[in-house]
Amino acid sequence: MIIDCHGHYTTAPAALQQFREAQLAALKDPAAAPVAPPVISDEQLRASLANAQLKLQRERGSDLTIFSPRASAMGHHLGNEASSLAWARVCNDLIHRVCQLFPANFVGVCQLPQAVGAAPANSALELERCVRELGFVGCNLNPDPSGGHWNSPPLTDRYWYPLYQKMVELDVPAMVHVSASCNPNFHATGAHYINADTTAFMQFLTSDLFKDFPTLRFIIPHGGGAVPYHWGRYRGLAQDLKRPPLEELMRNVYFDTCVYHLPGIELLFKVVPHENILFGSEMVGAVRGIDVRTGQYYDDTKRYVDALHLSEADQGRVFEANARRVFPRLDALLKTRGR
Amino acid sequence: MIIDCHGHYTTAPAALQQFREAQLAALKDPAAAPVAPPVISDEQLRASLANAQLKLQRERGSDLTIFSPRASAMGHHLGNEASSLAWARVCNDLIHRVCQLFPANFVGVCQLPQAVGAAPANSALELERCVRELGFVGCNLNPDPSGGHWNSPPLTDRYWYPLYQKMVELDVPAMVHVSASCNPNFHATGAHYINADTTAFMQFLTSDLFKDFPTLRFIIPHGGGAVPYHWGRYRGLAQDLKRPPLEELMRNVYFDTCVYHLPGIELLFKVVPHENILFGSEMVGAVRGIDVRTGQYYDDTKRYVDALHLSEADQGRVFEANARRVFPRLDALLKTRGR
């Protein structure tokens, strides 16, 4: 079984984005009536997926995608905490409907109602709703709700602990995932995403967070940002800073395979323990084109992993077992279905 | 001949940092007298280098280091523009003295008197002084003088053009190099440095800067940040964004080899044209330890490059010719010395 740990609903019907725009517009007009949630039919949901994620799953040979709302549209820097909550609920409820329509293909991960200065305890409430009521198995945590101004505390600050307590209680991991950038220095998918991954890793490396939460788990997407390429730098920094070796950190931190060329995937598997690598593609996502050199989609990461000719045991880990270990609720769900 | 394109004077005598601290303290006290420049003897300079850069050059087999003031101490976010100028001059003058004492071992690259909101034209003046009066061959340009708040215009903004005009006029390149971070989210050498590299590359990728300045050249240090690891992502983004292929961008952009493990260096050379790679180690710099696995210094990057068994032509490019091409004033200087 092949589990793609990283997919966003980037192809949602236009009504979703229209709702968001109306919602944000209404915030500027005190006289505006509350904006009604978007009306989207099951047929529209099916159509939005048929020629995108579902087709690509079939063509590329993955079975199930851990599916969350579109990351770049989370926009925690827009509106306020109340509008972030309303937006997160609408997005999460839509993911839930997708998972009900195609239970074999998708399992949900939620967007959190973050905002600069908002209490993470409030995110914990939406996480709990999504896990307990909608059957979700994790969340996406934005380390920079400002959208590129980085004015929230580091992920290792006690500020975030109420959310972590809930993650531990529910036994769900978070993928560290920023949203769009409103800072002209940072291109969203070309800089902000990758920087956030690198930043989060270094925050974890320099703190004792996992002493406080030994079972807390994070997936750092996009192959861990810059980290595997600079693995020697991080090993050396850990040593200079008198921190534990990276192996210890990697009890709680995982990377996906969203690296869009074979040499990058080769490097990832050369330096990072295979127990820490979860197959992911982020399709349909940041890079949608076909590489003229290979004739294949850049983000068809399964091809790169296949090209490594891993042992059967390692394939089993990367494609399935690691995801089931990091997302125990996914494992439990699959077991109830005999998978 | 082996040129290390990336070295900072991290071992300067303590009087330098004492001057800086006194200078910043005086800024807070309107009654304080101007702080006199530090008094440092030639003997002190020699001693500061003998068991550090000079010893390591000999041991590792490099000949000449392109040498600049300590990057993490530039601190463009501290003080104001006047104090940044005074500090840059003191630091650059000290580099000049080092280069005079050891002309075979060091050639200068300058720190710029940057500050948030300061006119880059003022940096151009200090660059001109360093190049014309001190014989320097380039500069370090900080894309984020705020130290982690990223509130200056992107490097591709016309804001920076007065500096670029001077760089083109003098035919000198800039290394894109941030300084310390005052943002608790960003560890300086573990996140801020690498993020800045990645950020700068994506800024260049999305702009027409090099149409305006066809001969402008930037070195992105630390192996290009996350870029080579995500080379497929950047190729795909360029394609999706209808930008020219990366090969075109690489007429103006170069990476060093400050990647502290062999698999990273292997990847760099696998994906990046060898014409664009300049040997560098940043010693004595961010990572100073010895890897217990290999018994060698993490930052002894020559070992990794040697382990690639490049052709003689490629070795010549990476160790010497590329640096002489990117730094024409270095080439001219070496020629006057018959090297």
Side-chain angles (χ1 to χ4, degrees):
Chain A
M1 173 171 193
I2 293 179
I3 299 169
D4 184 336
C5 78
H6 190 177
H8 303 292
Y9 194 11
T10 51
T11 59
L16 183 68
Q17 194 54 34
Q18 285 157 8
F19 162 78
R20 175 62 162 169
E21 282 159 24
Q23 183 211 33
L24 292 174
L27 283 180
K28 292 175 185 155
D29 176 5
V35 179
V39 177
I40 297 172
S41 69
D42 285 356
E43 205 37 61
Q44 286 175 308
L45 290 180
R46 283 196 195 92
S48 74
L49 297 156
N51 283 308
Q53 291 83 357
L54 289 172
K55 174 164 161 274
L56 292 171
Q57 280 185 347
R58 273 195 314 276
E59 286 179 3
R60 300 181 183 183
S62 71
D63 297 297
L64 180 140
T65 300
I66 299 179
F67 207 49
S68 58
R70 188 174 164 205
S72 65
M74 296 190 299
H76 296 122
H77 58 290
L78 303 170
N80 54 40
E81 191 179 357
S83 64
S84 266
L85 177 58
W87 174 231
R89 289 183 70 112
V90 162
C91 290
N92 291 332
D93 288 347
L94 209 63
I95 293 290
H96 177 54
R97 286 179 59 201
V98 166
C99 296
Q100 285 184 305
L101 284 171
F102 300 100
N105 299 86
F106 300 104
V107 65
V109 149
C110 69
Q111 170 178 335
L112 297 174
Q114 295 182 247
V116 173
N122 298 340
S123 283
L125 292 175
E126 175 64 3
L127 172 62
E128 182 152 40
R129 181 185 81 91
C130 290
V131 171
R132 296 209 193 273
E133 297 179 19
L134 310 184
F136 284 23
V137 300
C139 59
N140 290 334
L141 174 60
N142 185 344
D144 173 29
S146 77
H149 294 292
W150 289 94
N151 52 10
S152 292
L155 289 178
T156 48
D157 192 280
R158 298 186 69 86
Y159 170 77
W160 300 99
Y161 277 22
L163 175 63
Y164 298 160
Q165 281 152 1
K166 185 59 70 180
M167 286 168 58
V168 167
E169 177 196 325
L170 297 170
D171 203 11
V172 297
M175 178 174 279
V176 177
H177 208 307
V178 286
S179 184
S181 159
C182 62
N183 185 328
N185 280 286
F186 302 131
H187 185 276
T189 53
H192 192 41
Y193 280 27
I194 307 291
N195 291 350
D197 304 334
T198 309
T199 299
F201 185 82
M202 194 63 195
Q203 292 177 358
F204 296 146
L205 190 157
T206 49
S207 97
D208 287 328
L209 175 63
F210 301 118
K211 282 197 180 148
D212 286 349
F213 296 102
T215 62
L216 189 65
R217 299 177 301 282
F218 291 101
I219 301 131
I220 300 186
H222 320 110
V227 173
Y229 178 48
H230 289 285
W231 197 246
R233 186 180 191 87
Y234 290 100
R235 288 187 58 234
L237 283 170
Q239 188 174 317
D240 286 0
L241 296 166
K242 312 245 185 293
R243 299 291 309 165
L246 299 190
E247 288 68 25
E248 198 165 307
L249 185 61
M250 298 308 278
R251 292 178 198 156
N252 301 83
V253 175
Y254 301 82
F255 298 155
D256 73 13
T257 64
C258 293
V259 177
Y260 297 152
H261 63 150
L262 179 57
I265 292 285
E266 285 172 342
L267 174 79
L268 171 66
F269 279 80
K270 209 180 280 182
V271 300
V272 173
H274 295 184
E275 291 71 24
N276 293 86
I277 305 175
L278 275 63
F279 172 69
S281 71
E282 202 169 0
M283 69 88 168
V284 179
V287 177
R288 303 189 179 194
I290 288 173
D291 185 350
V292 288
R293 287 195 203 157
T294 62
Q296 307 295 344
Y297 286 99
Y298 286 103
D299 68 358
D300 186 357
T301 53
K302 185 161 171 297
R303 286 184 177 271
Y304 312 133
V305 178
D306 287 345
L308 300 179
H309 302 294
L310 299 173
S311 69
E312 223 168 289
D314 268 347
Q315 284 184 42
R317 283 187 191 100
V318 169
F319 285 128
E320 179 177 358
N322 293 344
R324 293 176 80 136
R325 198 173 75 249
V326 175
F327 293 90
R329 285 179 176 266
L330 169 63
D331 184 53
L333 185 74
L334 291 173
K335 281 182 178 152
T336 65
R337 295 177 187 164
R339 290 172 87 180
Chain B
M1 175 172 192
I2 294 180
I3 300 169
D4 184 336
C5 78
H6 189 177
H8 303 293
Y9 194 9
T10 50
T11 58
L16 183 67
Q17 194 55 33
Q18 285 157 9
F19 163 78
R20 175 61 163 167
E21 282 159 25
Q23 183 209 35
L24 292 175
L27 282 180
K28 291 176 185 155
D29 174 7
V35 178
V39 177
I40 297 173
S41 69
D42 285 356
E43 205 37 60
Q44 287 175 307
L45 290 181
R46 284 196 196 92
S48 74
L49 297 156
N51 283 307
Q53 291 83 358
L54 289 172
K55 175 166 160 271
L56 293 170
Q57 280 184 348
R58 274 196 314 277
E59 286 179 2
R60 300 182 184 182
S62 71
D63 298 299
L64 181 142
T65 299
I66 299 179
F67 208 48
S68 58
R70 187 174 164 203
S72 64
M74 296 190 297
H76 295 123
H77 59 288
L78 303 171
N80 54 39
E81 191 179 357
S83 64
S84 266
L85 176 58
W87 174 231
R89 289 182 71 113
V90 163
C91 289
N92 292 332
D93 288 347
L94 207 62
I95 293 292
H96 177 54
R97 286 179 59 201
V98 167
C99 297
Q100 286 184 303
L101 284 173
F102 301 98
N105 298 86
F106 300 105
V107 64
V109 150
C110 70
Q111 169 177 336
L112 297 174
Q114 295 182 248
V116 173
N122 297 341
S123 284
L125 292 176
E126 175 65 3
L127 172 63
E128 182 152 40
R129 180 185 83 91
C130 290
V131 171
R132 296 210 193 272
E133 297 179 20
L134 310 183
F136 284 22
V137 299
C139 60
N140 290 334
L141 174 58
N142 184 345
D144 173 30
S146 78
H149 294 292
W150 289 94
N151 52 11
S152 291
L155 289 178
T156 49
D157 193 280
R158 298 186 69 85
Y159 169 77
W160 299 99
Y161 277 23
L163 175 62
Y164 298 161
Q165 281 153 2
K166 186 57 70 182
M167 285 168 58
V168 167
E169 178 196 323
L170 298 169
D171 203 11
V172 298
M175 179 173 279
V176 178
H177 208 307
V178 287
S179 184
S181 159
C182 62
N183 184 328
N185 280 286
F186 303 131
H187 185 275
T189 53
H192 193 41
Y193 280 26
I194 306 292
N195 291 350
D197 305 333
T198 309
T199 298
F201 185 83
M202 194 63 196
Q203 292 177 359
F204 296 144
L205 190 156
T206 49
S207 98
D208 287 329
L209 174 63
F210 301 117
K211 283 197 179 148
D212 287 349
F213 297 101
T215 63
L216 190 64
R217 299 178 300 284
F218 291 101
I219 300 129
I220 300 186
H222 320 109
V227 172
Y229 178 47
H230 288 285
W231 198 246
R233 185 180 191 87
Y234 290 100
R235 288 186 59 234
L237 283 169
Q239 188 175 316
D240 285 0
L241 295 167
K242 314 247 184 288
R243 299 291 311 165
L246 299 190
E247 288 69 24
E248 199 166 304
L249 186 61
M250 298 308 279
R251 291 178 199 157
N252 301 82
V253 176
Y254 301 82
F255 299 155
D256 74 12
T257 63
C258 294
V259 177
Y260 297 153
H261 63 149
L262 179 57
I265 291 286
E266 286 173 342
L267 174 80
L268 172 66
F269 279 80
K270 208 180 279 182
V271 300
V272 173
H274 296 184
E275 291 71 24
N276 293 86
I277 303 175
L278 275 61
F279 173 68
S281 71
E282 201 170 359
M283 67 89 169
V284 179
V287 176
R288 304 190 178 192
I290 289 174
D291 185 349
V292 288
R293 286 194 203 158
T294 63
Q296 307 295 344
Y297 286 99
Y298 285 103
D299 69 358
D300 186 357
T301 54
K302 185 162 172 295
R303 286 183 176 271
Y304 311 134
V305 178
D306 287 345
L308 300 179
H309 301 294
L310 298 173
S311 70
E312 225 170 289
D314 267 348
Q315 283 183 43
R317 283 188 190 98
V318 170
F319 285 127
E320 178 177 359
N322 293 344
R324 293 176 81 136
R325 200 173 74 250
V326 174
F327 293 89
R329 285 180 176 267
L330 169 64
D331 184 53
L333 185 74
L334 291 173
K335 280 180 178 152
T336 64
R337 297 178 186 165
R339 289 172 88 180

